Amino acid sequence: MTTYLITGGCGFIGSHTCLSLLKRGHNLIIIDSNINSSQNVLGRIYKIGHIENNHYENQITFIKGDIKNYEILKKIFIDAIHKKKPISGVIHFAGLKAVEESVKNPLLYWENNVFGSINLFKAMKSYDCNIIVFSSSATIYGNPKEKFFREDTTIQPMNPYGYTKFTIEKILKDIYISSNKEWKIANLRYFNPIGAHESGLIGENPLNIPNNLFPYICRVAYKNYKELKIFGSDWNTYDGTCIRDYIHVVDLAEAHCAALDYLIENKPTILNLNIGTGIGTSVLEMVNTFSKVNKIDVPYSFANRRSGDVPSIVADNKLALKTLNWFPKRDLSEMCKDGWKWQINNPNGYN
Ligand code: WQD
């Protein structure tokens, strides 16, 4: 069994990825400050394991901590070596990810996302761990003119959050070059992850009012909120509302496992990969699909555009499909069904 360090492993994408890795028999060390997540997700992961007659509690070591604390990271690597289960690789999720918040409080984002990552990379270097899958974002592309974003599409972040993600990719590139190209690095540029594990036991758990469309729709459908405000009906798209590339969170989790397998099995490299479905969905299409699939009303009205929004963000995912031999299997209906099952089973998230 291989041991991997998962930073931010209690988060939405982190927890789903941990589940995919546990199913593959790996040992996981999860470090999470729980500033944006709940440690209760671990109990749900164990419950999913028990349903399948697995005991994931024997494969997980959880450390409540912040990657800004170098001493905690150092101890994690040293303890793993002492246990003769050294950390073979890292999946790095830990970071703040709200665009609007990053505009209002850029220092918080630069300190958490970039300083935290530098600490992690220093610890990896000190303990000869040079395999990493990094949770990057399509936000780094900004608002290019292309309909489908390729990995060589011009990178032009439009907010501090996007800049932190691009900066971390740049730091990893510099490490790769300076370390005689011995590192194995995969930057996964996510588009719009939504939905939940089919069990309805783990899912997206925004701690406050959701910024993102899908969890907000779930809460309107559940009648936590009166209606959805659609930000703009006059965009230059087929129905006037913004288009995004929504991907099922379990497909995204599987892409992380495929990326880790690729790095383990191949010689040192640095990959940038767009992890999306290549299919664009407008806000109105999302609302109508959610209503139809779940037979539930989602009242909405049109409001002004949200600052920082762009009309269309859709992946050209051909490089990821080819390199990772990975394919997103779940369609929009499954994303809506699984997300709604999580909502109705967990109206208060993990509390
Ligand atoms: C999608 C569409 C909104 C809420 C964000 C981050 C990005 C990534 C994914 C981390 C947009 C519209 C939304 C609402 C609405 N996260 N909308 N009413 O903005 O594409 O990307 O999440 O990497 O970094 O920026 O996703 O879900 O916020 O918005 O009309 O109440 O839904 O205008 O067009 P976005 P989103």
Side-chain angles (χ1 to χ4, degrees):
M1 285 210 223
T2 314
T3 298
Y4 294 114
L5 172 62
I6 316 294
T7 75
C10 291
F12 174 41
I13 301 159
S15 55
H16 285 81
T17 303
C18 286
L19 192 56
S20 294
L21 289 165
L22 291 162
K23 282 178 191 272
R24 287 166 169 78
H26 297 306
N27 284 321
L28 305 180
I29 300 170
I30 298 172
I31 177 171
D32 201 310
S33 64
N34 296 131
I35 186 176
N36 246 353
S37 61
S38 168
Q39 189 179 333
N40 295 343
V41 68
L42 299 177
R44 300 295 185 87
I45 289 175
Y46 304 155
K47 198 167 171 185
I48 293 170
H50 296 157
I51 294 167
E52 298 155 358
N53 207 15
N54 292 314
H55 295 277
Y56 295 145
E57 55 275 23
N58 302 332
Q59 292 170 242
I60 288 182
T61 304
F62 174 68
I63 312 279
K64 185 169 176 114
D66 193 315
I67 59 172
K68 296 199 296 294
N69 182 331
Y70 183 74
E71 290 310 309
I72 292 181
L73 285 170
K74 189 175 157 186
K75 188 176 182 319
I76 287 172
F77 279 90
I78 292 171
D79 288 353
I81 291 165
H82 287 169
K83 287 180 191 159
K84 300 205 181 333
K85 291 181 179 174
I87 295 167
S88 301
V90 176
I91 303 187
H92 179 29
F93 294 104
L96 299 174
K97 66 165 188 101
V99 169
E100 269 182 306
E101 185 186 46
S102 79
V103 174
K104 290 181 188 135
N105 195 346
L107 266 182
L108 183 71
Y109 275 68
W110 284 101
E111 183 183 33
N112 271 281
N113 292 3
V114 177
F115 175 59
S117 298
I118 289 169
N119 264 352
L120 173 66
F121 304 156
K122 277 168 57 182
M124 289 177 68
K125 192 165 184 294
S126 304
Y127 298 98
D128 296 324
C129 175
N130 55 17
I131 295 176
I132 181 165
V133 176
F134 170 54
S135 159
S136 190
S137 169
T139 310
I140 66 172
Y141 293 117
N143 184 17
K145 56 187 182 314
E146 291 92 328
K147 188 163 181 290
F148 295 94
F149 297 4
R150 290 162 38 103
E151 286 77 3
D152 59 3
T153 294
T154 309
I155 289 175
Q156 183 50 60
M158 292 166 66
N159 51 67
Y161 164 72
Y163 269 108
T164 65
K165 288 294 186 181
F166 181 47
T167 301
I168 297 163
E169 284 195 16
K170 180 79 181 77
I171 293 169
L172 284 168
K173 178 98 183 276
D174 290 346
I175 291 172
Y176 177 70
I177 293 164
S178 67
S179 63
N180 200 17
K181 299 192 176 179
E182 281 159 10
W183 279 53
K184 301 179 174 185
I185 301 165
N187 295 310
L188 303 189
R189 296 170 179 171
Y190 308 162
F191 282 69
N192 289 63
I194 64 168
H197 185 260
E198 61 190 14
S199 65
L201 288 168
I202 61 173
E204 190 166 9
N205 179 37
L207 301 184
N208 306 303
I209 298 175
N211 294 306
N212 295 133
L213 177 68
F214 189 80
Y216 200 96
I217 287 176
C218 289
R219 292 195 184 179
V220 169
Y222 199 74
K223 304 202 179 348
N224 290 135
Y225 308 134
K226 186 163 129 324
E227 63 174 7
L228 168 73
K229 296 275 185 217
I230 297 182
F231 300 140
S233 59
D234 57 350
W235 293 94
N236 180 22
T237 63
Y238 42 75
D239 65 10
T241 63
C242 290
I243 294 166
R244 293 291 183 273
D245 181 331
Y246 297 98
I247 180 169
H248 197 293
V249 64
V250 175
D251 280 329
L252 179 57
E254 291 296 309
H256 286 78
C257 297
L260 208 44
D261 289 345
Y262 179 92
L263 295 179
I264 297 274
E265 288 152 20
N266 289 273
K267 60 186 190 314
T269 183
I270 184 162
L271 298 174
N272 297 316
L273 296 172
N274 286 343
I275 307 298
T277 62
I279 299 167
T281 302
S282 75
V283 176
L284 270 176
E285 281 171 332
M286 174 63 85
V287 172
N288 295 331
T289 304
F290 188 95
S291 284
K292 185 161 164 265
V293 160
N294 294 311
K295 300 181 179 58
I296 188 95
D297 193 25
V298 179
Y300 65 84
S301 65
F302 291 103
N304 294 332
R305 295 182 175 189
R306 178 176 67 175
S307 67
D309 270 341
V310 296
S312 181
I313 302 178
V314 182
D316 173 333
N317 64 358
K318 287 193 277 300
L319 185 59
L321 301 183
K322 181 165 158 279
T323 309
L324 302 182
N325 190 25
W326 161 84
F327 188 82
K329 301 188 186 90
R330 297 155 182 90
D331 64 11
L332 194 67
S333 297
E334 287 175 85
M335 296 179 214
C336 291
K337 213 178 294 170
D338 291 342
W340 181 231
K341 182 174 179 181
W342 157 255
Q343 172 66 52
I344 52 179
N345 289 347
N346 305 276
N348 301 310
Y350 291 112
N351 297 330

